[in-house]
Amino acid sequence: MNIALIAHDQKKEDMVQFATAYQHILGQHSLFATGTTGTKITEATGLSLHRFQSGPLGGDQQIGAYVAQNDMDVILFFRDPLTAQPHEPDVSALMRLCDVYQIPLATNLAAAEIMVRAIEHGDFHWREIIHKKKQQG
């Protein structure tokens, strides 16, 4: 599965701790992340991932393009609801695309834990069917 990891500045440490705790699951998948978040995760865990630009520089939109092409399966986005974000329109657009294309989106630690456990248990095999259909047609 293709999994995107995104975190606002005040949530980056939470994402690093999450990735560390679940690296045995995340490491079995293709990981993508926005700029600094990806760097911090790789430094802390050694997990291999593709880094996009930072969110304010277009990283959220790059991930959104993957969603629109049906090339992203899950997004774990630790948002900071208490701090204004200069790129809030990009964040809203990414969330909208997840709704349009039925891409599971966790926006906090609790939801991300439920989602990663579901991935571990195989509850997202329906995404493999979608990938096969895309390849065939």
Side-chain angles (χ1 to χ4, degrees), residues 5-24 26 31 33-47 49 76-78 109 112-113:
L5 307 170
I6 310 168
H8 284 151
D9 288 344
Q10 299 299 318
K11 300 293 182 175
K12 288 191 190 317
E13 189 55 38
D14 290 345
M15 180 60 81
V16 168
Q17 290 177 7
F18 178 86
T20 300
Y22 292 106
Q23 65 184 330
H24 64 285
L26 295 173
L31 303 178
T34 50
T36 307
T37 302
T39 299
K40 289 179 179 278
I41 291 169
T42 298
E43 288 173 353
T45 65
L47 287 169
L49 52 79
L76 307 178
F77 188 167
F78 289 7
L109 179 61
E113 286 189 303

Side-chain angles (χ1 to χ4, degrees), residues 115-128:
M115 202 170 299
V116 79
R117 290 296 184 182
I119 290 168
E120 179 183 37
H121 291 119
D123 296 340
F124 285 91
H125 285 308
W126 59 273
R127 290 294 304 161
E128 294 173 13

Side-chain angles (χ1 to χ4, degrees), residues 25-108:
I25 298 169
L26 295 173
Q28 298 175 26
H29 302 277
S30 297
L31 303 178
F32 301 81
T34 50
T36 307
T37 302
T39 299
K40 289 179 179 278
I41 291 169
T42 298
E43 288 173 353
T45 65
L47 287 169
S48 175
L49 52 79
H50 174 82
R51 279 184 45 229
F52 292 109
Q53 297 291 329
S54 69
L57 297 178
D60 298 334
Q61 291 181 341
Q62 289 175 302
I63 291 173
Y66 271 55
V67 170
Q69 296 170 12
N70 205 20
D71 289 330
M72 193 61 65
D73 298 304
V74 171
I75 298 179
L76 307 178
F77 188 167
F78 289 7
R79 297 179 64 232
D80 179 3
L82 302 178
T83 304
Q85 303 297 326
H87 62 294
E88 190 61 37
D90 298 340
V91 173
S92 296
L94 177 60
M95 294 173 67
R96 179 184 164 281
L97 284 171
C98 288
D99 288 342
V100 168
Y101 290 98
Q102 301 296 314
I103 302 302
L105 168 68
T107 60
N108 60 60

